[in-house]
Amino acid sequence: QLILFGEGTFKITNTLIIAADKVTVRGQGMGKTILDFKGQKAGAEGIFADGVKDIVLESFTVRDTAGNGVKVLGATGVTFRKMEATW
C-alpha cells in the first residue's frame, strides 16, 4: 500500500496513524513535501505506528507537531529514509 504526497505543504490537524502492515508513505523530497501539523487539534504525534510490520517513511518533512514528529512502537521492518522533522 502506497500513500503518495506530491510537492507542496499539506495542513494536517490530526495524528496520521499507520495501522496496517506493508505501508509506504512517500513524498517528493525533504522540504518539497511538507506535512504541516501547526494547529494540530488531535493527537500528540505527527505520524504514529504501533505493532505494524514493514513500513517505509521517505522523502518528506514533518513540521510543527504537538509532540513527537514520528513515533513507532512495537513494529518490525521500519525504514526511515530522507526524512526530517522540524519545529
Side-chain angles (χ1 to χ4, degrees), residues 17-57:
I17 298 173
I18 299 173
D21 295 336
K22 298 183 180 180
V23 171
T24 297
V25 179
R26 180 180 301 142
Q28 302 304 306
M30 294 183 298
K32 293 181 179 180
T33 299
I34 301 168
L35 307 184
D36 186 355
F37 290 86
K38 187 174 184 174
Q40 187 171 355
K41 296 177 182 172
E45 286 76 38
I47 299 173
F48 178 73
D50 186 9
V52 294
K53 297 177 186 172
D54 303 323
I55 64 170
V56 177
L57 305 173

Side-chain angles (χ1 to χ4, degrees), residues 5 12-13 21 26 29 35 37 41 52 59 79 81 84 86:
F5 287 93
I12 301 172
T13 57
D21 295 336
R26 180 180 301 142
L35 307 184
F37 290 86
K41 296 177 182 172
V52 294
S59 298
T79 302
R81 183 180 302 123
E84 67 179 347
T86 63

